[in-house]
Amino acid sequence: MLDRVGQFISEQIVDDDKRMVVQFNVAYFLFFSIAVIMSIVNYLTGNVLLMLATMAFAVCCMFDFGLSRLGKGFTTVANVCFSVEIVALFIFFLVTGMPDGFSVIWVCMLPSFGMLLYRRSRTTIICAIMFVVLVFFFWIPYGQSLLKYEYNDAFMLRFPMMFVGFYVISLALETFRLYTQRELIKAKTQYAQLYKQDELTGLYNRRGFVNVVNEIIATEKTKELALVLIDIDHFTDINGKYGHVKGDLVLKELAKLIKENFNFPASRWGDDKFAIFCGNGALSEKKLKDFCEYCAKQQYDKDGVKFEFTISIGGAFSYTENKPEELFKQANRCLYKAKTEARGSACFVHL
């Protein structure tokens, strides 16, 4: 249960908009629960006016929750309503002083909650409104005359400044949280890329390629499949003659040619072996043989060193419900046959 909750939360925090919607819904429910409990306590203690205020706030929270469930536009309206309700409740507690001037202290928690719910800009606006309210009722004579509760002078002088202090602390913590979240998302994106992509060639790595192949087969429901394996001939000799740096250049050049000539998922399957998958029957033997010849005609001059290379191809074409493992197996057999009989050639099997 906890694992599923944790997975749900981790999925939501990546998208800040989703996070805010979830947090608002949780806030509506929690504030509703607290308001109901306090209404019961106020009823039991005989404070009818305070009970009515907390019960009205509970009803508003449920209304906001229902409104937010109607869609994105209604969610914004619900958020605005919730802000107005919070300010109104704050003014009620501030003016009446119920109970015994205690309830107004909870306003110091709002900056930290607001940063999570509204982000920094909107929270700053709400906190500024509340600070103006505090100044009006505590520092302006006319505002003081409207108070129904007698706060002492020290409290009225210090409380607005304490509220500002809580806001500054909340702003700093939210700024750290925001940048930390951005770095985590950035790291997660980079990890996901490295998880499925070969760093040298930019093609899929083996893991990423297998995932894409399985996804295509599962979603497209096609039976016309083609799995092709490409191997660089005498790659060990290329590394020995030119060094691994030039060997990497050969790998990158071949990857570039594959990208330019095939609009299908492609992978660096391992070392000097590459793989191409086609799930719609659009790949032909002729195109692959032409690619073999095309690669053999290319000549490269990198850092003053001229080189060329040839490739061998093994392919498996399937028109039945063969599993990917069988395609890889048959394509690998064809590749071995091509390299054994005549390097720089292509060999295919139809299943």
Side-chain angles (χ1 to χ4, degrees), residues 16 40 45 173 241 244 319 350:
D16 220 33
I40 295 173
T45 56
L173 293 176
K241 184 176 181 180
H244 287 281
Y319 306 95
H350 292 262

Side-chain angles (χ1 to χ4, degrees), residues 113-129:
F113 282 113
M115 290 297 174
L116 287 174
L117 293 175
Y118 291 100
R119 298 192 180 103
R120 292 177 295 182
S121 58
R122 293 182 183 179
T123 300
T124 299
I125 295 173
I126 296 173
C127 287
I129 293 173

Side-chain angles (χ1 to χ4, degrees), residues 107-160:
V107 75
C108 289
M109 298 187 298
L110 290 181
S112 58
F113 282 113
M115 290 297 174
L116 287 174
L117 293 175
Y118 291 100
R119 298 192 180 103
R120 292 177 295 182
S121 58
R122 293 182 183 179
T123 300
T124 299
I125 295 173
I126 296 173
C127 287
I129 293 173
M130 290 192 166
F131 178 73
V132 170
V133 171
L134 282 172
V135 169
F136 174 74
F137 284 108
F138 283 172
W139 293 355
I140 305 299
Y142 178 72
Q144 293 175 350
S145 68
L146 299 176
L147 295 175
K148 305 300 181 182
Y149 181 82
E150 187 176 348
Y151 299 94
N152 62 55
D153 293 337
F155 184 85
M156 289 194 294
L157 175 65
R158 295 169 185 248
F159 189 74

Side-chain angles (χ1 to χ4, degrees), residues 34-59 89 92-93 96 98-99 103:
I34 294 171
V36 169
I37 293 172
M38 293 309 301
S39 296
I40 295 173
V41 172
N42 293 331
Y43 173 77
L44 295 176
T45 56
N47 198 327
V48 178
L49 181 60
L50 190 57
M51 179 199 72
L52 293 175
T54 51
M55 184 58 69
F57 184 68
V59 173
L89 188 64
F92 171 81
F93 283 138
T96 62
M98 293 182 179
S103 293

Side-chain angles (χ1 to χ4, degrees), residues 236-299:
T236 303
D237 296 339
I238 294 174
N239 275 331
K241 184 176 181 180
Y242 300 112
H244 287 281
V245 173
K246 297 302 184 294
D248 287 348
L249 289 175
V250 172
L251 293 172
K252 288 192 282 189
E253 289 298 333
L254 178 55
K256 180 181 177 182
L257 292 176
I258 291 174
K259 292 177 186 177
E260 293 174 348
N261 288 271
F262 300 99
N263 189 27
F264 308 116
S267 160
R268 182 185 176 194
W269 188 247
D271 294 331
D272 60 327
K273 186 179 290 186
F274 293 78
I276 301 174
F277 178 77
C278 174
N280 58 13
L283 192 58
S284 65
E285 288 188 21
K286 183 179 184 305
K287 185 173 180 63
L288 291 166
K289 290 178 180 178
D290 290 343
F291 183 67
C292 257
E293 297 176 2
Y294 178 73
C295 289
K297 294 177 181 178
Q298 304 303 306
Q299 294 184 341

